Amino acid sequence: MTTIGNIAKHIRTKNAGPFWVTIDIFCSDNEKYELLKNSRAGKKETYEKVYSVDKNDIQLYFLPNLNVIKVSFPRPQIQGNKYEYDMHFGQQYVDLLNIEL
């Protein structure tokens, strides 16, 4: 079983201002980048399911020169909202680690 977490060198989730979040999936080389790009990691539907966000609101960028996949979407709660559970969205990458390619 090969997962996103097995292939990616590093995955970072963070806030991109009070209304958006971003996910950066870093790969160590072009081969791993292409593998992830052509797998579930490169599909909006994956992030729609994992983060309960409409795929039409998801922005997906492929940065081959850096071997990075970047994903941005609106925050489920505005940063600082009284129902906020992760102010910096920094722990949310964990949900991606075990997704099979």
Side-chain angles (χ1 to χ4, degrees):
M1 171 176 90
T2 303
T3 64
I4 293 174
N6 293 134
I7 301 298
K9 179 179 180 182
H10 181 71
I11 302 175
R12 173 177 64 193
T13 53
K14 61 181 185 168
N15 64 336
F19 306 106
W20 284 79
V21 296
T22 191
I23 300 167
D24 299 314
I25 302 173
F26 298 88
C27 299
S28 58
D29 58 49
N30 188 264
E31 181 180 331
K32 290 178 181 173
Y33 165 77
E34 288 294 330
L35 178 63
L36 286 180
K37 177 183 169 186
N38 295 311
S39 73
R40 290 182 180 166
K43 309 278 186 271
K44 288 183 178 184
E45 291 79 10
T46 300
Y47 306 98
E48 175 182 45
K49 182 177 179 183
V50 172
Y51 296 105
S52 301
V53 61
D54 186 326
K55 73 177 180 179
N56 294 318
D57 292 332
I58 297 171
Q59 298 175 2
L60 184 59
Y61 304 97
F62 300 105
L63 307 166
N65 292 341
L66 300 172
N67 295 323
V68 171
I69 297 171
K70 186 174 196 70
V71 185
S72 295
F73 52 86
R75 293 179 69 91
Q77 299 286 335
I78 295 172
Q79 185 181 19
N81 180 294
K82 68 180 181 177
Y83 301 109
E84 177 70 60
Y85 54 89
D86 184 356
M87 185 77 107
H88 299 287
F89 216 78
Q91 304 302 314
Q92 304 311 309
Y93 70 92
V94 174
D95 295 332
L96 297 174
L97 296 177
N98 293 320
I99 294 177
E100 291 185 36
L101 302 184

